[in-house]
Amino acid sequence: MTIEKHSKQPPSSGRVRKKNQSLILKAAEQDFLEHGFKGASIKSIAERAGIPRANVHYYYKNKEAIYADILSKILALWDSSIIVCDEEPAKVLGDYIYAKVMYSKTNPEASRLFASEFIHGAPRLQAYLKTDFKTWIDEVKAIIQGWIEQGKMDAIDPLYLLFTIWGATQHYADFCPQVTAAMAKDKLTDHDFEQVAQTLTQIILKGCGIKK
Amino acid sequence: MTIEKHSKQPPSSGRVRKKNQSLILKAAEQDFLEHGFKGASIKSIAERAGIPRANVHYYYKNKEAIYADILSKILALWDSSIIVCDEEPAKVLGDYIYAKVMYSKTNPEASRLFASEFIHGAPRLQAYLKTDFKTWIDEVKAIIQGWIEQGKMDAIDPLYLLFTIWGATQHYADFCPQVTAAMAKDKLTDHDFEQVAQTLTQIILKGCGIKK
DNA sequence: GTTTATCTTGACACATGTGTCAACTTGTTT
DNA sequence: AAACAAGTTGACACATGTGTCAAGATAAAC
């Protein structure tokens, strides 16, 4: 996916530009989160951002362009939380789970937007899934497979392990209203998230037969 | 939430009625799944169902009414997969995980619609979350707490355990495009789902210190 | 301080979606 | 087969959303 700017896109410059684009993106993220891609409207985004609709069109050709810009920023962030090898499984997976839980805490909007995209069929992520994502997956699969062959953990399909970690961690961002209802709280505290990370790490490491 | 029918709602009768409502609901579910609540339109639903728009309005007052009907049916199904006590933890949790995985396989649309509702803030589920859901949660929490006190499993917060099971199982329905991309398949087979259930059960039971 | 690029905005033409109604057709009941 | 209930439909009035443009305001560069 390419980041499409308005056709009259200037070479560089911009301070006003930067400020306004940031206003638009923040407003748009909210609108996409509340109403989904199709349900969001430039009208509503402009109102949230506090600028006239025609001005939004000056910076972004259309809704697709705004969405692409937001999505590409989320993908960049997502990719950066990579498993590093050369360490023991307990350390690597523990760190990864911790990072994922903290991502749910710090970037719930990004997590939910990402989830929304998949739920609605991921029409805008096909390219990503077949390139960067697939490469990443294959690398990680090989690392985990290596651990199994070295007897460092039980024979568990690496993909199922990854899906379990993703599902369990993202749940706290994506299903937030359900989680808070179950816990009878308005909002999870920092301490809650630490507990989540610790509990999940415990279940998964022990469940995979990984010794600390 | 109440199921609102058209104001001229007849006492009973209906064969034509049943057939058409079913057509509308099926078409609407697809449209809601693709575009979210706000993004779906009665126009598009009518076209999918192959009937004129005015006819949809004859059966349902508006989009809200259609959505409420669909959601209430999903909630009824959801509630029915309940943990039964008086059994050993390994059996109860194993069965529950299996049921949840099979639900993701058999009713992916329902799972995704439910997820979509939470992601967009669950505006239409507040009542449910505070009543039926909360009651169910508190019962299950007590059962698991009991197991911990009897030394049948490790001391793990029952809620975190439930969230882990939900997140891990629903992931296969909600993030289907991501899962199939990672597995380099078009679609998961029955055998894949059996494997998922088995692996997940293994990880979670062992991870919670539950003996078979 | 004038010029030039950047930004702002109301207004217009068009597209999509909504809810209702009255006239009509089809089922159902007796 | 007559009578009434249920279902069907095109058309209308209205609401919301889109993309573009031309004229004017503001900022940047010289």
Side-chain angles (χ1 to χ4, degrees):
Chain A
M1 172 158 3
T2 52
I3 305 173
E4 286 186 34
K5 300 264 172 67
H6 189 277
S7 46
K8 283 168 198 158
Q9 150 189 38
S12 64
S13 78
R15 201 184 73 262
V16 186
R17 187 176 202 82
K18 213 161 193 179
K19 187 198 73 191
N20 280 342
Q21 282 190 333
S22 151
L23 273 176
I24 293 168
L25 290 181
K26 239 173 256 162
E29 189 176 46
Q30 283 308 311
D31 220 54
F32 286 133
L33 230 50
E34 264 174 49
H35 305 302
F37 177 77
K38 180 116 184 269
S41 73
I42 299 186
K43 185 175 186 288
S44 156
I45 291 169
E47 277 160 13
R48 269 184 215 261
I51 55 185
R53 191 171 55 82
N55 204 3
V56 174
H57 281 291
Y58 176 75
Y59 289 106
Y60 290 96
K61 195 175 147 213
N62 51 30
K63 209 163 57 167
E64 289 280 357
I66 303 177
Y67 195 74
D69 206 358
I70 292 178
L71 214 54
S72 75
K73 273 166 191 160
I74 292 177
L75 286 186
L77 248 169
W78 175 274
D79 265 350
S80 73
S81 72
I82 295 179
I83 289 183
V84 203
C85 46
D86 287 353
E87 293 268 7
E88 285 306 296
K91 164 97 175 111
V92 176
L93 286 184
D95 285 357
Y96 186 61
I97 292 170
Y98 188 82
K100 275 277 162 199
V101 171
M102 290 309 143
Y103 187 84
S104 272
K105 175 188 145 195
T106 317
N107 297 75
E109 301 87 7
S111 182
R112 285 163 58 206
L113 215 69
F114 203 51
S116 179
E117 189 59 22
F118 281 116
I119 283 174
H120 298 129
R124 279 161 273 263
L125 287 178
Q126 291 309 320
Y128 164 71
L129 287 176
K130 287 185 181 161
T131 56
D132 296 6
F133 174 73
K134 193 63 175 55
T135 309
W136 186 89
I137 277 284
D138 290 338
E139 283 171 17
V140 176
K141 223 165 72 175
I143 295 172
I144 298 177
Q145 204 62 56
W147 292 339
I148 294 172
E149 280 156 20
Q150 292 165 38
K152 290 180 174 171
M153 61 175 278
D154 297 345
I156 284 167
D157 187 320
L159 291 181
Y160 294 156
L161 172 54
L162 275 176
F163 297 152
T164 304
I165 295 175
W166 291 344
T169 54
Q170 291 166 14
H171 191 83
Y172 292 88
D174 303 345
F175 289 75
C176 176
Q178 196 186 31
V179 169
T180 50
M183 296 179 75
K185 288 188 177 191
D186 278 351
K187 197 176 170 300
L188 298 210
T189 64
D190 288 0
H191 178 251
D192 289 328
F193 280 102
E194 295 287 337
Q195 283 297 112
V196 167
Q198 202 195 299
T199 305
L200 250 182
T201 305
Q202 185 189 333
I203 294 177
I204 288 177
L205 293 196
K206 186 170 176 178
C208 294
I210 298 172
K211 285 153 228 118
K212 282 180 197 168
Chain B
M1 173 163 359
T2 53
I3 304 174
E4 286 187 34
K5 299 264 171 67
H6 189 276
S7 46
K8 282 168 199 159
Q9 151 189 38
S12 63
S13 79
R15 205 185 69 262
V16 186
R17 186 177 202 80
K18 212 161 195 180
K19 187 199 71 187
N20 280 342
Q21 282 190 334
S22 151
L23 272 177
I24 293 169
L25 290 182
K26 237 172 261 164
E29 189 177 46
Q30 283 308 311
D31 220 53
F32 286 134
L33 268 173
E34 264 175 47
H35 305 301
F37 177 76
K38 179 116 185 270
S41 74
I42 300 187
K43 185 175 185 287
S44 155
I45 291 169
E47 278 160 13
R48 268 183 217 260
I51 54 186
R53 193 170 54 82
N55 204 3
V56 174
H57 281 290
Y58 175 73
Y59 289 106
Y60 290 97
K61 195 176 147 214
N62 52 31
K63 209 163 57 166
E64 289 280 356
I66 304 177
Y67 194 76
D69 206 357
I70 292 178
L71 213 54
S72 74
K73 274 166 192 162
I74 293 177
L75 286 186
L77 249 169
W78 176 273
D79 265 351
S80 72
S81 73
I82 294 179
I83 287 183
V84 202
C85 46
D86 287 354
E87 293 269 8
E88 285 307 295
K91 164 100 175 107
V92 176
L93 286 185
D95 285 357
Y96 185 62
I97 291 170
Y98 189 82
K100 275 279 160 195
V101 171
M102 289 310 142
Y103 187 84
S104 272
K105 175 189 145 192
T106 317
N107 298 74
E109 301 87 7
S111 182
R112 285 163 57 204
L113 215 69
F114 203 51
S116 180
E117 189 59 23
F118 280 117
I119 282 175
H120 300 314
R124 279 160 273 262
L125 288 177
Q126 291 307 319
Y128 165 72
L129 287 176
K130 286 186 181 160
T131 55
D132 297 6
F133 174 74
K134 193 64 175 56
T135 309
W136 186 89
I137 277 283
D138 288 339
E139 284 171 17
V140 176
K141 221 165 77 176
I143 294 172
I144 297 176
Q145 204 63 55
W147 292 339
I148 294 172
E149 280 155 20
Q150 293 164 40
K152 288 180 175 172
M153 60 175 279
D154 297 344
I156 285 167
D157 187 320
L159 291 181
Y160 295 156
L161 173 54
L162 277 176
F163 297 151
T164 303
I165 294 175
W166 290 344
T169 54
Q170 291 166 13
H171 191 83
Y172 292 88
D174 303 344
F175 289 76
C176 176
Q178 195 185 32
V179 169
T180 51
M183 296 178 74
K185 288 188 177 191
D186 277 351
K187 199 177 169 299
L188 297 210
T189 64
D190 288 1
H191 178 253
D192 289 329
F193 280 103
E194 293 290 337
Q195 283 297 112
V196 167
Q198 201 196 299
T199 305
L200 250 183
T201 305
Q202 184 188 333
I203 294 177
I204 288 177
L205 293 196
K206 185 170 178 178
C208 295
I210 298 172
K211 284 152 230 117
K212 283 185 195 161

